Amino acid sequence: MNYTIALAGNPNSGKTTLFNELTGAKQHVGNWPGVTVDKKEGTYKKNKEINILDLPGTYSLSPYSAEEVIARDYIVKNRPDAVINIVDGTNIERNLYLTLQIIETSIPVVVAVNMMDEVEDSGIVINFEKLSEAFGIPVIPIVARKGKGLDKLMEAAVRVADDKTVPKELKIFDSNINTAIDAVYEVLTSDYNVSKRDAVEKDALNYWKAIKVVENDDIVTGELTNNQKPEIIAILGEAEKYADGDTEAKIADLRYKFITNLVSESVKKPKTHIETGS
Ligand code: GDP
Ligand code: MG
Ligand code: K
């Protein structure tokens, strides 16, 4: 069985280091079609049936940069067998913003918490079980630079790919936003019938699109048909009333709140933490 596993993460999270450790020297660097963003592909050095693809480093999956559009299109349209989301453990709160958005695509995903050498040196204690339980996916500590934790990481990635384990539906949004997402989803899926075989993946794509429409995502909104637009404009108008006129800002705010809560429950920082500013 062949697998495609994509690496996604913030810039500087150690994505290239991990990619090089996993693939050894046999990698191919090209460009993503139409843009001069590096596209690196290789095979896992311990199992040649596993293809590893390095997505561009991003903080988010917004429509505003080529890197983010490449990363999200690849995840939602190509649907790799699994995503490894590499996270900088010394900066976990900021990095989990992307994690939430990857989880929202309903793709099998494993979170790799990197830089665990620095995390341990600084006295930060991360409760991996709690994070894993909260997301409903494996969360694995690694030190990419020393190759530590990578066997476990790859075992977990293959496991979620085989089992098609998708993350939990997280309770991030408020009832106003959820009502709008569900209503947009109904509009997006009322137009056509999907075969049983395609239904699960189509549903995941449409649910993701529904979130993006409520976020006022230019690209996804631009793909709406003229039939869909009037109903969707009405749904968004209603949602905006309860979101101080800005559902995009509201959604971002709710994501940050979710992460802040989760981190306060699962990451213990030492009382006298000295910022190194590195
Ligand atoms: P990318 O931007 O995500 O591709 O990140 P890089 O792979 O270029 O890594 C960013 C920096 O973090 C480099 O200086 C790496 O050597 C360093 N780095 C990567 N992994 C680790 C790790 O596990 N521990 C520590 N301490 N540094 C790491
Ligand atoms: Mg890199
Ligand atoms: K560093």
Side-chain angles (χ1 to χ4, degrees):
M1 159 127 187
N2 268 280
Y3 300 89
T4 298
I5 294 178
L7 306 183
N10 287 16
N12 282 317
S13 57
K15 215 157 47 61
T16 299
T17 306
L18 176 61
F19 180 85
N20 290 343
E21 278 291 328
L22 292 175
T23 60
K26 293 186 188 108
Q27 48 176 279
H28 171 81
V29 182
N31 274 329
W32 291 91
V35 285
T36 55
V37 177
D38 270 6
K39 182 182 188 184
K40 276 191 289 180
E41 288 179 276
T43 52
Y44 182 35
K45 62 187 179 187
K46 296 186 178 177
N47 180 350
K48 300 297 176 206
E49 292 186 343
I50 301 178
N51 301 305
I52 314 271
L53 179 77
D54 191 22
L55 294 173
T58 64
Y59 294 106
S60 176
L61 296 179
S62 73
Y64 306 120
S65 77
E67 285 83 359
E68 299 193 17
V69 172
I70 288 168
R72 71 188 216 169
D73 276 359
Y74 188 80
I75 294 171
V76 300
K77 293 178 183 163
N78 293 60
R79 292 192 65 86
D81 297 298
V83 170
I84 292 176
N85 170 215
I86 181 168
V87 161
D88 175 357
T90 68
N91 210 345
I92 197 161
E93 189 152 347
R94 180 182 195 179
N95 279 242
L96 289 179
Y97 191 71
L98 176 65
T99 306
L100 282 198
Q101 292 184 67
I102 295 171
I103 286 174
E104 280 168 15
T105 69
S106 294
I107 194 89
V109 55
V110 175
V111 174
V113 180
N114 191 30
M115 318 269 181
M116 282 307 296
D117 51 342
E118 285 189 30
V119 170
E120 279 160 16
D121 287 349
S122 69
I124 300 170
V125 178
I126 299 173
N127 187 334
F128 291 95
E129 274 164 29
K130 213 159 202 169
L131 286 176
S132 173
E133 192 176 312
F135 291 136
I137 53 179
V139 180
I140 313 281
I142 67 167
V143 183
R145 203 155 67 180
K146 295 183 192 139
K148 276 171 74 177
L150 304 194
D151 288 351
K152 277 199 179 129
L153 175 63
M154 291 305 287
E155 279 166 25
V158 167
R159 190 161 15 92
V160 297
D162 280 341
D163 298 347
K164 302 196 190 303
T165 310
V166 294
K168 276 185 185 166
E169 209 179 293
L170 304 179
K171 293 188 169 46
I172 298 169
F173 305 128
D174 60 17
S175 63
N176 172 48
I177 298 292
N178 278 328
T179 301
I181 292 169
D182 290 347
V184 171
Y185 177 83
E186 288 301 316
V187 176
L188 295 180
T189 53
S190 65
D191 264 13
Y192 62 93
N193 293 310
V194 292
S195 73
K196 265 220 170 98
R197 193 168 51 103
D198 290 342
V200 174
E201 294 195 353
K202 286 253 168 69
D203 281 358
L205 178 60
N206 281 313
Y207 192 75
W208 177 80
K209 283 184 173 177
I211 297 172
K212 293 290 144 187
V213 167
V214 177
E215 274 188 278
N216 285 317
D217 183 292
D218 288 345
I219 295 175
V220 177
T221 305
E223 292 169 351
L224 296 172
T225 66
N226 286 335
N227 279 345
Q228 294 169 334
K229 276 178 192 162
E231 258 187 280
I232 284 182
I233 289 168
I235 294 163
L236 296 185
E238 193 62 24
E240 279 175 1
K241 282 191 219 162
Y242 299 96
D244 302 323
D246 191 342
T247 51
E248 183 178 4
K250 185 72 188 177
I251 285 178
D253 186 48
L254 291 168
R255 287 195 186 119
Y256 283 122
K257 284 205 173 106
F258 182 92
I259 294 165
T260 302
N261 270 333
L262 180 57
V263 168
S264 75
E265 286 170 1
S266 53
V267 180
K268 295 279 166 270
K269 290 176 186 148
K271 285 211 168 68
T272 53
H273 177 63
I274 300 160
E275 294 291 335
T276 58
S278 67

